[in-house]
Amino acid sequence: MNTPNPQRINWSSLNAEQQRQALRRPAQENSADVLQKTQALINEVRQRGDDALREITEKFDGAKLQSLQVSNEEFDVAEKKLSSTQVDALKRAISNVQRFHEAQLTAPLKIETSLGVVCERHTRPIDAVGLYVPAGTAPLPSTAIMLAVPARIAQCPTRVLCSPPRRDGSIDPAVLVTAKLCGIDQVFKAGGAQA
C-alpha cells in the first residue's frame, strides 16, 4: 500500500473553517471495493484455514511462514533483543494502564428497589478475546498493552494476540515481550500489514 506524503500545514495561519477541514478524515472513495476485497479474504480463510492465512501473509507481508504460532524460542529471542531500559519502560506502561483499568472495576450490586423486587448487576468476562496488534512500518507494543491489560483484568480465560510478521517471519520483539509481560502466551502471525 502506498502512503501519500503528508501535507504540512501551519495551524496558526488557518482560520476556523480551514482548521476543521484539516482535521477531517479523508472519505473512502473506494469503500465498496475495499469491502469486497476484504470479504473475499475472509471467505478464503474460512474455506482453506491456515493455508490461506500463510498465502495471505506471504502476499501482503512478504513472509513465508511454516508456523503461524509464535514459539517459546521466538519469545526468548525477543527478550534478548530488548535492553533492560526498554523492558522497564514496557513494565512501567503496563503498570500505568493496569492502575487506570483496575480503578474502573465495579463490585456486584444488589438492591431491593421495592418490597420483594431485587435488582442485581454482575460483571462476567467473555470466554475468549482476540487481540490484533498492527505492525507494518511501525509496530505498536502500546496497542498490545491497551488490549491485553484490560482483558487480563477482566479475567478473560482465553486471550490470543495476533500481529503481522516482518519479512523474516518474526514479530517485533517489543510486541512479543509485551504480550509475555501481560500474560499472553498464545501469539499468532497473520498477514495484512501492507494490505
Side-chain angles (χ1 to χ4, degrees), residues 15-63:
N15 64 35
E17 178 56 30
Q18 290 169 322
Q19 288 176 346
R20 273 193 296 281
Q21 289 298 320
L23 293 175
R24 286 187 61 212
R25 294 182 66 114
Q28 283 207 318
E29 297 169 8
N30 59 351
S31 61
D33 183 50
V34 170
L35 182 60
Q36 181 182 8
K37 288 179 180 178
T38 303
Q39 190 60 55
L41 291 172
I42 291 168
N43 292 342
E44 190 69 20
V45 172
R46 283 184 176 150
Q47 291 172 7
R48 297 184 40 245
D50 289 355
D51 289 338
L53 280 175
R54 279 191 275 277
E55 287 175 18
I56 292 166
T57 300
E58 186 172 3
K59 177 180 178 180
F60 290 116
D61 300 300

Side-chain angles (χ1 to χ4, degrees), residues 27-28 48 70 81 103 110 113 118 138 149 151 158 171 173 187 190:
Q28 283 207 318
R48 297 184 40 245
V70 173
K81 289 187 176 183
K110 183 176 182 179
T113 57
V118 177
V149 169
T158 302
I171 290 182
V187 178

Side-chain angles (χ1 to χ4, degrees), residues 148-177:
V149 169
R152 179 176 64 190
I153 291 169
Q155 299 178 350
C156 297
T158 302
R159 294 167 286 156
V160 177
L161 187 143
C162 183
S163 188
R166 300 183 293 189
R167 290 197 181 279
D168 68 0
S170 67
I171 290 182
D172 180 76
V175 170
L176 286 183
V177 170

Side-chain angles (χ1 to χ4, degrees), residues 32-194:
D33 183 50
V34 170
L35 182 60
Q36 181 182 8
K37 288 179 180 178
T38 303
Q39 190 60 55
L41 291 172
I42 291 168
N43 292 342
E44 190 69 20
V45 172
R46 283 184 176 150
Q47 291 172 7
R48 297 184 40 245
D50 289 355
D51 289 338
L53 280 175
R54 279 191 275 277
E55 287 175 18
I56 292 166
T57 300
E58 186 172 3
K59 177 180 178 180
F60 290 116
D61 300 300
K64 190 170 178 73
L65 303 176
Q66 297 301 314
S67 173
L68 296 172
Q69 187 165 6
V70 173
S71 68
N72 290 334
E73 293 78 22
E74 289 175 279
F75 278 105
D76 294 341
V77 169
E79 286 177 355
K80 292 174 185 164
K81 289 187 176 183
L82 297 185
S83 70
S84 60
T85 302
Q86 291 170 310
V87 173
D88 288 345
L90 290 172
K91 287 178 180 178
R92 187 170 49 255
I94 290 167
S95 176
N96 289 339
V97 171
Q98 182 167 329
R99 283 184 55 218
F100 175 76
H101 286 286
E102 283 176 341
Q104 299 175 61
L105 289 173
T106 58
L109 175 67
K110 183 176 182 179
I111 185 169
E112 188 170 3
T113 57
S114 60
L115 187 60
V117 179
V118 177
C119 298
E120 297 182 69
R121 179 187 66 203
H122 297 274
T123 305
R124 292 184 182 88
I126 57 176
D127 292 333
V129 292
L131 314 173
Y132 179 75
V133 178
T137 57
L140 299 171
S142 59
T143 299
I145 293 169
M146 296 297 197
L147 297 174
V149 169
R152 179 176 64 190
I153 291 169
Q155 299 178 350
C156 297
T158 302
R159 294 167 286 156
V160 177
L161 187 143
C162 183
S163 188
R166 300 183 293 189
R167 290 197 181 279
D168 68 0
S170 67
I171 290 182
D172 180 76
V175 170
L176 286 183
V177 170
T178 298
K180 189 170 186 176
L181 290 171
C182 291
I184 294 178
D185 55 3
Q186 291 186 50
V187 178
F188 292 87
K189 308 168 195 178
Q194 309 295 324

